[in-house]
């Protein structure tokens, strides 16, 4: 049995509820990858995760329902914080979605500073 080395959390209760309300295929992938991240850390590598830059990562979910993304960051103490999710409707990730994730990452980082 593997021990958990990282803790996956959410920046807000509403985000957690949004993720848990995703269509079944996305939710199954999210739960599987989140469990892997707790054991192996935040960077599972392509095609599951990708570094966006400046401390921001994306969890890449592909299922029968389409493609979804969940942005996240890491904090000291081996924490992985989910920041924002959306279902992709185009090839390129819209700038607005990245900006939301970056803003939430700043809020999370500032809240954790002493």
């Amino acid at each position: 049995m593997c021990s958990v080395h990282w803790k996956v959390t959410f920046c807000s209760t509403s985000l957690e509820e949004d993720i848990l309300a995703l269509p079944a295929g996305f939710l199954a992938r999210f739960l599987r990858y989140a469990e892997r991240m707790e054991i192996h850390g935040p960077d599972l590598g392509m095609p599951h995760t990708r570094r966006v830059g400046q401390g921001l990562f994306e969890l890449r979910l592909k299922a029968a329902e389409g493609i979804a993304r969940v942005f996240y960051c890491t904090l000291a103490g081996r924490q992985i914080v989910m920041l924002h999710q959306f279902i992709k409707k185009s090839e390129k990730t819209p700038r607005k979605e990245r900006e939301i994730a970056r803003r939430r990452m700043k809020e999370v980082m500032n809240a954790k500073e002493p």
Side-chain angles (χ1 to χ4, degrees):
M1 187 168 156
C2 294
S3 62
V4 174
H5 301 285
W6 289 78
K7 181 177 181 178
V8 173
T9 61
F10 301 87
C11 70
S12 68
T13 304
S14 62
L15 175 66
E16 182 176 11
E17 291 168 356
D18 289 347
I19 289 174
L20 295 176
L22 284 169
F26 291 139
L27 179 59
R29 295 266 190 299
F30 174 81
L31 294 172
R32 182 176 338 142
Y33 296 159
E35 185 177 300
R36 288 181 184 174
M37 291 167 77
E38 287 181 331
I39 296 166
H40 302 291
D43 191 357
L44 299 177
M46 289 290 282
H48 311 301
T49 62
R50 183 175 75 88
R51 289 178 190 265
V52 176
Q54 299 173 314
L56 189 64
F57 294 82
E58 69 177 2
L59 186 57
R60 304 162 58 87
L61 308 176
K62 191 171 185 181
E65 298 90 343
I67 298 172
R69 297 289 187 257
V70 181
F71 287 106
Y72 62 96
C73 67
T74 60
L75 297 176
R78 300 174 80 86
Q79 290 184 70
I80 299 167
V81 182
M82 300 297 160
L83 302 167
H84 178 59
Q85 67 83 24
F86 72 101
I87 296 175
K88 281 189 81 166
K89 295 184 180 5
S90 64
E91 181 77 22
K92 192 169 182 176
T93 298
R95 175 190 280 169
K96 175 188 84 161
E97 305 295 350
R98 282 193 309 274
E99 288 172 354
I100 291 169
R102 287 192 194 288
R103 187 181 73 243
R104 289 182 182 170
M105 182 173 70
K106 281 183 185 175
E107 292 168 2
V108 166
M109 299 282 193
N110 291 338
K112 296 297 179 186
E113 288 179 0

